[in-house]
């Protein structure tokens, strides 16, 4: 299972689709094959990629539940809502669109109903407000 290093993120051209590739990541104090990049003062080593997908056109989000759990443990509730909640929008756009359309449809029905029945509802409520105290 992959271990995330959230203290030293890297930029990639595209999100890894599987574990067939590697990326250079910060080595820290690990005892691994380390090399120094001429442009960067820190030491890096090759790390096996894991399957990810795009989130918000900017982040690579892990598909593996065990790696996602590492993210959940690292972030507080509001950060989790932003990362995990909004990451679902890209896969659930059809459901969100359908629910928005239904909400608009039923909202229009509601407004038409009260336009037609508004006078009756007001009169009926007044009759009830006057007659119920008399009946009890």
């Amino acid at each position: 299972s992959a271990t995330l290093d959230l203290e030293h993120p890297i930029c990639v051209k595209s999100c890894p689709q599987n574990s067939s590739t590697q990326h250079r990541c910060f080595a820290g104090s690990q005892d691994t094959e380390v090399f120094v990049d001429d442009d960067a003062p820190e030491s890096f080593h090759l790390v096996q990629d894991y399957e990810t997908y795009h989130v918000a056109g900017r982040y690579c989000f892990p598909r593996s539940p065990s790696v996602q759990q590492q993210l959940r443990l690292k972030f507080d509730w509001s950060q989790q809502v932003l990362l995990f909640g909004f990451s679902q929008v890209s896969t659930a756009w059809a459901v969100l669109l359908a629910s928005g359309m239904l909400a608009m449809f039923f909202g229009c029905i509601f407004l038409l109903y009260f336009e037609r029945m508004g006078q009756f509802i007001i009169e009926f409520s007044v009759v009830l407000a006057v007659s119920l105290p008399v009946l009890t």
Side-chain angles (χ1 to χ4, degrees):
S1 175
T3 302
L4 298 180
D5 180 5
L6 298 175
E7 300 296 321
H8 306 97
I10 62 169
C11 294
V12 294
K13 289 183 181 180
S14 64
C15 291
Q17 299 299 310
N18 53 43
S19 60
S20 66
T21 57
Q22 296 178 332
H23 278 91
R24 295 170 53 173
C25 295
F26 180 69
S29 61
Q30 299 175 359
D31 294 328
T32 59
E33 180 183 343
V34 175
F35 54 92
V36 177
D37 190 341
D38 293 336
D39 298 331
E42 303 293 343
S43 297
F44 291 82
H45 66 111
L46 290 175
V47 174
Q48 196 72 35
D49 289 336
Y50 48 88
E51 188 176 5
T52 60
Y53 62 95
H54 284 99
V55 175
R58 185 173 181 173
Y59 303 104
C60 296
F61 199 78
R63 289 195 186 273
S64 166
S66 62
V67 181
Q68 286 182 12
Q69 183 61 28
Q70 290 179 43
L71 283 175
R72 285 187 179 92
L73 294 173
K74 193 74 171 174
F75 297 115
D76 65 27
W77 186 83
S78 61
Q79 291 171 320
Q80 285 185 34
V81 169
L82 289 173
L83 279 175
F84 299 100
F86 291 131
S87 70
Q88 304 301 318
V89 172
S90 64
T91 58
W93 68 268
V95 174
L96 291 172
L97 180 64
S99 63
M101 298 297 279
L102 278 173
M104 289 177 58
F105 173 75
F106 285 117
C108 289
I109 297 292
F110 177 79
L111 290 174
L112 288 172
Y113 173 76
F114 276 104
E115 181 182 6
R116 303 271 188 239
M117 300 297 293
Q119 184 69 30
F120 171 76
I121 293 171
I122 291 172
E123 290 172 357
F124 184 73
S125 298
V126 169
V127 169
L128 276 178
V130 171
S131 62
L132 282 179
V134 173
L135 295 175
T136 57

